[in-house]
Amino acid sequence: MIRTLSTSAPFLLPLSLLFGCTVGPRYERPPVQTAPAFKELTAQVSGDGTMWEPAKPQDTSLPQEWWKIFHESELDSLEEKLNSSNQSIAQAYQNFMAARAQVRQARAAYAPTLSTQPAYTRSRASANQSGRSIPGVNLNSNAFNFPFDVSWQPDVFGRIRNSVREFADAAQVSASDLANQRLTEQANLAIFYFELRGQDAEIDLFDRTISAYRQNLKLTQVRSKTGVDTEQSVAQAELNLNSAQATATNLGIARAQQEHAIAMLIGQPASTFSLPHRALLAAIPPIPVGVPSDLLQRRPDVAATERNMAQSNALIGVGIAAFYPNFNISGSAGLQSNAINNWMAWPSRFFSIGPAAAETLLDGGQRRAVVAQYKAQYQAQVANYRQTVLSALQATEDTLASERILAIQIVQQQETVQAAARYYTLANARYRTGVDTYLNVFTAETSLLTNQDTLITLKIQQLTNSVQLIQNLGGGWNASQLPSESEVGAKR
């Protein structure tokens, strides 16, 4: 049941004293538990006694164009194309523009509404009604109207303010989502690029290996024809050569797929895009990590969940404001006449104005249920925020652990490759001098190729893990880059 109260001008004075009162809980970011430092950043000793400690550069933040720390000019060019042509980023940007428009839409409630509806009506009365059949009575009439209607709802208890704050927080969520989408696409591009260059490195390795295998096959064929060796050695040499050729051919599949993925990321049809074969030059750069609490400001996904909490908090204020009366000041003015010649004359004026208040007296507990719903949604967002922070900490520790362990493993693998190369050199020399059969060369070839391939894989894994670490740290983004409430509602 809604009761409407007519008010008079003296009521406006105490009403004006209420302006600026905003009901609802004040928003404060809830605390989250973080460690004083990342566990993996402390110096650690590996099983073989190797000491590993991450680099500690002076700068504790990454540049916005973080991919430039790899010093790959080709990657720099691709990232520039991605930032301007990636369709997922474009979609997220338009979602942000829509969210900004909703803020302006909510702010419009602060201003009065003014409307007009000029009208002209020509009418004729029935001559068969009582008193209208008298000769000389004009049954035709005109009505000229030029009215203006104005209505304004003072935001006494902050219902509009909380609503504007809700939409502003939602727009900031959208801005965070845009930053997170951009970072995700940038990281994906860098990963695909390094993986493609890893395929190029593997192709180069297999090309060199196949060339060596051909020379060995020719040698075994010559030795077999002269009776120094057997057909078994020829078969073993052919097996190694054919196996290497088949593997090298298969490498083209992964390279083509990575090239196509890069084309999609930069907004270009895969059929029109190609990257020439090139050796990988990038090295692992020092990455400023900082402390765990930095992630609260550096990661856009964490910022998005934090702004979701603020939005849910503002909704509670909207729900509480429904318990208080709504005030409205409305008026109407204009010009009315039944003849066009005096329609715009001063005596044709009319007006009416007056305030009113409306209060819901009984709703069966609907408003309390709505507030309870908003409070529960807020607590759910708090849990989501804390879970997002925990996930961010876990992902960062994961990539830091991979960084440390891969650095040790690569050193070990390099030593393994050197040992395999010595083994191959000795086996090949003993075969050529007739001391051993080709079986030892066959085994040494396979071992050397496998370990060289593993080393390339580990180096690419280390590069892609560095990209993932940068992504887990938020790239070069910071929460200070989020637009403010006034900025998200400003006209472009």
Side-chain angles (χ1 to χ4, degrees):
M1 180 174 64
I2 299 178
R3 185 174 64 187
T4 303
L5 305 174
S6 297
T7 59
S8 58
F11 182 75
L12 296 178
L13 180 60
L15 179 64
S16 65
L17 299 178
L18 294 175
F19 288 0
C21 173
T22 303
V23 299
R26 181 178 180 181
Y27 174 72
E28 292 182 1
R29 181 185 300 182
V32 292
Q33 183 180 1
T34 59
F38 289 105
K39 179 179 67 174
E40 291 294 334
L41 276 184
T42 58
Q44 300 187 35
V45 180
S46 66
D48 63 353
T50 304
M51 180 69 74
W52 179 86
E53 188 172 1
K56 296 179 180 178
Q58 295 298 319
D59 190 8
T60 58
S61 62
L62 285 158
Q64 290 191 19
E65 296 179 331
W66 53 264
W67 53 89
K68 290 188 175 181
I69 66 177
F70 291 98
H71 302 292
E72 281 280 325
S73 58
E74 198 169 30
L75 176 61
D76 297 345
S77 176
L78 291 171
E79 292 285 1
E80 289 178 7
K81 292 179 181 178
L82 176 137
N83 289 328
S84 62
S85 303
N86 181 272
Q87 296 307 302
S88 295
I89 296 176
Q91 180 183 4
Y93 176 77
Q94 294 303 325
N95 290 339
F96 173 52
M97 290 296 102
R100 289 187 58 176
Q102 286 182 311
V103 179
R104 297 196 299 273
Q105 180 182 350
R107 281 184 177 173
Y110 285 131
T113 301
L114 177 65
S115 61
T116 183
Q117 189 177 359
Y120 161 70
T121 304
R122 171 76 172 176
S123 61
R124 175 182 172 84
S126 171
N128 291 328
Q129 288 186 349
S130 176
R132 292 185 177 177
S133 59
I134 302 174
V137 173
N138 187 2
L139 300 179
N140 299 317
S141 65
N142 297 312
F144 296 90
N145 283 287
F146 195 6
F148 291 92
D149 296 311
V150 62
S151 178
W152 179 51
Q153 262 194 6
D155 190 26
V156 179
F157 298 105
R159 180 185 61 83
I160 298 175
R161 271 165 287 175
N162 278 316
S163 180
V164 170
R165 189 173 297 117
E166 175 208 349
F167 282 106
D169 292 335
Q172 289 178 317
V173 172
S174 184
S176 301
D177 290 339
L178 170 59
N180 193 55
Q181 185 68 51
R182 181 180 289 113
L183 175 60
T184 299
E185 300 300 325
Q186 289 169 347
N188 287 339
L189 174 58
I191 288 172
F192 285 136
Y193 176 80
F194 288 134
E195 287 179 343
L196 181 141
R197 290 306 174 210
Q199 293 297 314
D200 287 346
E202 286 192 283
I203 290 171
D204 289 341
L205 169 64
F206 275 84
D207 285 346
R208 294 192 303 269
T209 301
I210 289 170
S211 178
Y213 284 3
R214 285 199 180 101
Q215 295 298 322
N216 285 344
L217 175 59
K218 291 178 180 179
L219 177 61
T220 57
Q221 288 172 338
V222 171
R223 289 169 64 91
S224 175
K225 289 179 180 179
T226 58
V228 177
D229 212 336
T230 65
E231 283 295 321
Q232 183 181 10
S233 297
V234 176
Q236 289 171 338
E238 286 179 339
L239 174 60
N240 257 3
L241 175 61
N242 293 336
S243 176
Q245 288 175 329
T247 303
T249 301
N250 186 262
L251 292 174
I253 297 176
R255 191 190 192 282
Q257 291 173 343
Q258 287 150 2
E259 191 176 67
H260 300 161
I262 291 173
M264 183 192 69
L265 288 174
I266 63 174
Q268 189 169 333
S271 304
T272 63
F273 176 78
S274 63
L275 282 174
H277 181 100
R278 187 172 65 77
L280 181 64
L281 303 176
I284 304 300
I287 299 172
V289 176
V291 295
S293 59
D294 289 345
L295 296 184
L296 304 184
Q297 298 295 321
R298 293 176 63 172
R299 283 184 58 128
D301 58 337
V302 173
T305 56
E306 188 274 327
R307 289 291 83 197
N308 269 323
M309 284 192 302
Q311 181 186 4
S312 296
N313 186 79
L315 266 177
I316 297 174
V318 173
I320 293 176
F323 285 93
Y324 296 85
N326 286 329
F327 299 96
N328 186 63
I329 301 174
S330 59
S332 180
L335 300 168
Q336 266 182 350
S337 177
N338 57 8
I340 193 171
N341 59 344
N342 61 5
W343 184 18
M344 298 299 173
W346 185 245
S348 298
R349 73 188 185 280
F350 73 92
F351 74 88
S352 66
I353 187 171
E359 168 67 358
T360 301
L361 301 179
L362 182 66
D363 65 357
Q366 179 185 8
R367 289 171 295 175
R368 292 187 183 277
V370 169
V371 172
Q373 173 192 346
Y374 290 158
K375 287 182 177 179
Q377 288 175 346
Y378 171 76
Q379 292 301 328
Q381 290 297 340
V382 171
N384 183 47
Y385 171 64
R386 288 173 173 161
Q387 182 64 32
T388 302
V389 173
L390 289 173
S391 298
L393 292 170
Q394 177 195 354
T396 305
E397 290 283 9
D398 286 347
T399 46
L400 283 171
S402 297
E403 197 84 355
R404 174 179 62 84
I405 295 170
L406 281 169
I408 298 169
Q409 188 180 3
I410 286 174
V411 172
Q412 294 170 338
Q413 188 62 32
Q414 287 171 336
E415 294 172 351
T416 303
V417 169
Q418 291 171 0
R422 288 196 302 269
Y423 173 38
Y424 171 73
T425 301
L426 292 172
N428 197 36
R430 291 172 65 85
Y431 169 69
R432 290 174 180 269
T433 57
V435 176
D436 289 333
T437 65
Y438 191 76
L439 178 60
N440 288 345
V441 178
F442 174 84
T443 304
E445 285 178 334
T446 304
S447 175
L448 178 59
L449 176 59
T450 300
N451 283 289
Q452 287 174 325
D453 188 50
T454 300
L455 181 59
I456 292 173
T457 301
L458 289 174
K459 288 182 176 180
I460 297 304
Q461 186 179 350
Q462 190 181 40
L463 275 169
T464 57
N465 184 78
S466 295
V467 174
Q468 290 169 342
L469 174 58
I470 291 171
Q471 183 180 5
N472 289 330
L473 294 172
W477 190 84
N478 189 281
S480 62
Q481 298 175 25
L482 272 181
S484 65
E485 180 180 330
S486 59
E487 289 172 337
V488 293
K491 293 182 180 179
R492 288 181 59 82

